[in-house]
Amino acid sequence: GNGIMFEGSINEWALAAQVRVGNSEAVIHLLSTGNSRGVSETARAFLLGSAAQAGHARVMRALIGANFTAKPNLLQVTTPITGDCAILLDIAQYLSAGSALPNVLLRVENRSLSHAMSVYAVHPWDPSMCERPFGTIPKGRPGQPGVEQAPVPAGCELVFYPDPQTFTPGVLRRMVAREPNFQTLVIDIPPSSNPVPSFVEPAPVFPMASAFTAHSPVVSVPWEWEDGPKGSGKWKPFDRSTNDAINVAHAAGQRYILMNRGQVAYVIDISSRTQRNERTGFVRALRTPQINTHAEAGAEA
C-alpha cells in the first residue's frame, strides 16, 4: 500500500515488515543472508525513512551498515526526526552522495574521582553492530578530570562502561553526529552508595576551520607552520583558506580549530601556537613572522 516495489525475492518483503516493527535482530539476520540485493534506491530510502519516523535507531544502524543510503529527494519523512535517528538519517543522506564519512575529533572528560571508563565503539559500517574496544578514559583527580582525545568516525556509537572492578551500573551511549567536527563530552559519576554515570551538559564545542572561511578576517596576519622538529628553523606558510580561518577564529576569541586533511585531523591551538596531528600525536610549532619575535621573547621570560 506504500507504492514501494522490491525487485528481489519475497524475503525482501520480510525485511520491510521487520523494519516497520523495529525488529533489529531480524533485520540484521535478513541482511546477513544477502537480502539487500535487488532493493531499489527508492525502497532503501523508504526503509530508512520509515525506521527514522518510528524511532528505530538500531534498525537504521543495521540498514546503514548494509550500505543503505537515502538521497534527500527520495525520502518520505512527514514527521520531525530527533535524537539518534536524526543523526543517522543525516549520515545516510551524506553517504548517498558517495562521500566517505569524515572524522570528528572527540574529547572526553571524566570528572569521576574513583572510576575509570572503558570505551567501546560501534562503527556505522558494521551491520552486526559489534562493540569493539576503543580506549580507556582515566579517572579524574581533584580539580582535574581524566581526559582522552581522539578522532572518531561520524555516525559511530560510543559505549561507556565504568570500571567493572568497582561496580556495574547502567552504561552510557552516545551517537557521534557529523557536525560540529570538534566535540566534547563530559562524564560525571557522583559519589553515592549507588552511583549512576551521566553526561554533563552543555559541553563545550570547538568549530572546525571551514566554519570560519565564509567571513573575511578583520586583520590579515600571515601564519606559518614549522616544517620539521622544534627549532629546525624551516617554516612554510598556510594556504590562504586555512590562514583566513585562523585569523577569523582568533578575532572571534576561539582558541582551538580543527582541520581535516583527508583522513587525518589536526587541531590548531591558537593560544599556544601549535598544531597537533591527532593520528600520530606529533605537534608542530606555529608562528606569525612579524610578531613572532616578541612572542618568543615573552615565552622565554
Side-chain angles (χ1 to χ4, degrees):
N2 53 45
I4 302 299
M5 296 299 294
F6 294 92
E7 301 169 1
S9 69
I10 191 65
N11 287 335
E12 288 162 352
W13 288 105
L15 175 62
Q18 299 304 327
V19 167
R20 185 175 295 108
V21 298
N23 190 337
S24 59
E25 297 302 323
V27 169
I28 291 171
H29 172 73
L30 288 169
L31 292 173
S32 68
T33 57
N35 287 301
S36 62
R37 293 193 298 269
V39 181
S40 70
E41 189 177 39
T42 301
R44 290 174 182 237
F46 171 80
L47 292 172
L48 282 163
S50 297
Q53 289 188 123
H56 300 322
R58 285 184 62 81
V59 169
M60 294 185 70
R61 292 193 63 82
L63 294 173
I64 292 172
N67 297 317
F68 278 46
T69 61
K71 290 185 177 178
N73 63 312
L74 297 179
L75 280 172
Q76 301 179 32
V77 176
T78 57
T79 58
I81 309 298
T82 60
D84 289 351
C85 288
I87 293 174
L88 290 169
L89 196 60
D90 173 70
I91 293 295
Q93 294 180 73
Y94 186 83
L95 291 173
S96 71
S99 303
L101 285 176
N103 280 332
V104 171
L105 187 61
L106 185 68
R107 173 185 171 92
V108 182
E109 298 182 3
N110 181 12
R111 291 186 180 177
S112 170
L113 303 183
S114 56
H115 305 290
M117 302 289 290
S118 296
V119 187
Y120 291 77
V122 182
H123 292 280
W125 54 82
D126 183 359
S128 63
M129 293 185 283
C130 291
E131 294 181 5
R132 305 181 189 279
F134 182 78
T136 301
I137 315 299
K139 64 183 180 181
R141 293 180 292 176
Q144 183 178 351
V147 175
E148 192 64 44
Q149 185 169 291
V152 180
C156 196
E157 182 180 30
L158 296 181
V159 188
F160 298 85
Y161 292 93
D163 186 352
Q165 295 181 357
T166 53
F167 71 107
T168 308
V171 299
L172 292 173
R173 294 178 178 270
R174 176 59 64 95
M175 193 80 68
V176 180
R178 187 169 58 86
E179 294 179 340
N181 287 57
F182 197 158
Q183 303 175 27
T184 296
L185 292 178
V186 180
I187 300 174
D188 193 21
I189 303 179
S192 67
S193 58
N194 186 27
V196 177
S198 62
F199 291 115
V200 179
E201 303 290 355
V205 171
F206 303 106
M208 65 179 296
S210 61
F212 296 102
T213 58
H215 307 282
S216 298
V218 176
V219 179
S220 182
V221 176
W223 287 79
E224 298 178 343
W225 52 276
E226 190 170 17
D227 187 18
K230 187 174 181 179
S232 67
K234 300 177 181 179
W235 297 90
K236 289 187 176 180
F238 280 102
D239 61 85
R240 181 174 179 179
S241 62
T242 303
N243 197 89
D244 285 353
I246 296 173
N247 282 319
V248 175
H250 193 197
Q254 293 284 349
R255 175 173 178 175
Y256 301 98
I257 59 174
L258 174 69
M259 295 191 308
N260 279 318
R261 292 291 184 267
Q263 296 298 310
V264 182
Y266 299 89
V267 174
I268 292 177
D269 185 334
I270 299 174
S271 179
S272 67
R273 300 192 180 192
T274 57
Q275 172 185 292
R276 176 186 171 89
N277 183 317
E278 290 302 311
R279 184 175 64 182
T280 66
F282 185 77
V283 177
R284 296 184 185 274
L286 307 182
R287 73 173 187 177
T288 50
Q290 69 268 48
I291 59 175
N292 194 59
T293 302
H294 301 290
E296 289 178 348
E300 291 173 357

